[in-house]
Amino acid sequence: MSHASATSTLDIRTIPPRERHPAIFSTLGQLGTGQTLELINDHDPQPLNLQLQAEMPGKFDWSWLEQGPDTWRVTITRRASTHSDGQCCGSCGGA
């Protein structure tokens, strides 16, 4: 996958429930800056959004495409790192 604005699609409706979050997080881990995952689900993925915000705050943007009642679709886009522009945000221990 290039680091251009590429979009991958993951339809998790056919994945067993206990394997869904590991599959999603594996796919998200492969996204480069600006790349997007379109997630298709059979229930509201809001708990996933909350988990992303808690475990990886500020790393992804979340946009709703479709909100039920049978199908939910969202795009999750990896944001640029706060350290990628050479500016320190204060969390890196720099002076």
Side-chain angles (χ1 to χ4, degrees), residues 12-33:
I12 61 168
R13 295 175 292 184
T14 60
I15 298 174
R18 72 176 188 280
E19 296 174 15
R20 289 179 177 188
H21 278 211
I24 294 165
F25 278 91
S26 175
T27 303
L28 290 174
Q30 296 174 28
L31 293 180
T33 299

Side-chain angles (χ1 to χ4, degrees), residues 32-34 58-59 78-87 89 91:
T33 299
K59 294 194 184 231
R78 182 177 288 278
R79 291 181 176 177
S81 168
T82 57
H83 296 245
S84 65
D85 60 3
Q87 307 250 337
C89 62
S91 65

Side-chain angles (χ1 to χ4, degrees), residues 22-75:
I24 294 165
F25 278 91
S26 175
T27 303
L28 290 174
Q30 296 174 28
L31 293 180
T33 299
Q35 291 182 322
T36 299
L37 169 64
E38 180 180 336
L39 182 67
I40 304 169
N41 203 354
D42 57 6
H43 65 275
D44 187 350
Q46 182 60 21
L48 173 66
N49 188 13
L50 298 174
Q51 184 178 358
L52 275 175
Q53 290 177 22
E55 294 182 13
M56 296 181 241
K59 294 194 184 231
F60 294 96
D61 289 322
W62 179 282
S63 298
W64 293 100
L65 300 175
E66 185 176 351
Q67 291 183 275
D70 297 315
T71 302
W72 282 259
R73 293 173 43 238
V74 298
T75 57

